[in-house]
Each structure stands twice: as C-alpha cells, then as structure tokens.
Amino acid sequence: MDTTRVLTIVGMGLMTYLTRVVPQLYLAGRRFPAAFDRYLRYLAYTLMTSIIATSLFFVGAKFELAAAPSRGLALLAAVLAAYWSRSAPLGLALGLVLVVALPWLMR
C-alpha cells in the first residue's frame, strides 16, 4: 500500500475520532439531545464507509473503472448485511470476502 493511501486512511480515522471525542469532552456529565446522540452514534459508521469507499475505488488519484462494478456490489452487500443484522463487523467481513471473491468469480 502506498504512503498516500495510508496517510489518507490515518487522517480520516483521526478526524473520525476527534468528531466523536471532542463533543463528549466538552459536554461530559450532560445528557445529549436524542438527535445529537443519534448523530454521534452514526457518524462513525458513515465516516468508516467513506474511508472504505475511497480505498475501494481509487488508487492514488485514479478511479479504477474496471474494478468498480464488483467492488460496488461488495460495498452494497456489506452495507445491507450490516443494516439488517445490526452488526457492523458482520457487514465488514462479508464485504471483505466479496471484494476478494467477486473478481475471481466474474472472470
């Protein structure tokens, strides 16, 4: 994996962490409104999806057009599996298996 991709993933992970931790530090001991609590709960999942999608479809600044259909299908299946099972690790595992298996099956 090239340095640019690693730095992008680490930077996005750091931003994800900061957007969840900073409000909790400043609002420690207080109850969050329900909408803000939902925002913080789902923010990690949306940011993780953006990191994964960026890693799936781009190499450097180049979009991988040939791999996009199988990787898009794997991403969709992972999101649906995580939604229906209410288990992010299950969706992540399914997506990983499909990213590896679909190009091999579509030959």
Side-chain angles (χ1 to χ4, degrees):
M1 193 178 300
D2 65 345
T3 308
T4 304
R5 185 175 284 194
V6 171
L7 289 174
T8 301
I9 291 170
V10 169
M12 293 172 94
L14 182 62
M15 290 307 298
T16 301
Y17 181 74
L18 289 175
T19 57
R20 295 193 71 197
V21 168
V22 169
Q24 291 178 359
L25 290 175
Y26 286 112
L27 300 172
R30 299 181 195 168
R31 291 186 49 93
F32 294 128
F36 191 62
D37 186 48
R38 279 193 311 274
Y39 166 77
L40 290 176
R41 194 170 341 130
Y42 292 117
L43 182 65
Y45 294 116
T46 57
L47 293 172
M48 185 171 54
T49 303
S50 72
I51 293 169
I52 292 169
T54 302
S55 297
L56 278 177
F57 296 113
F58 289 91
V59 171
K62 185 179 177 194
F63 182 74
E64 290 187 352
L65 186 60
S70 63
R71 291 178 180 180
L73 184 61
L75 181 61
L76 177 65
V79 169
L80 292 175
Y83 175 76
W84 280 322
S85 68
R86 301 284 190 236
S87 172
L90 177 69
L92 191 59
L94 177 66
L96 178 62
V97 168
L98 289 176
V99 162
V100 172
L102 281 177
W104 183 75
L105 294 173
M106 295 175 85
R107 285 190 222 174

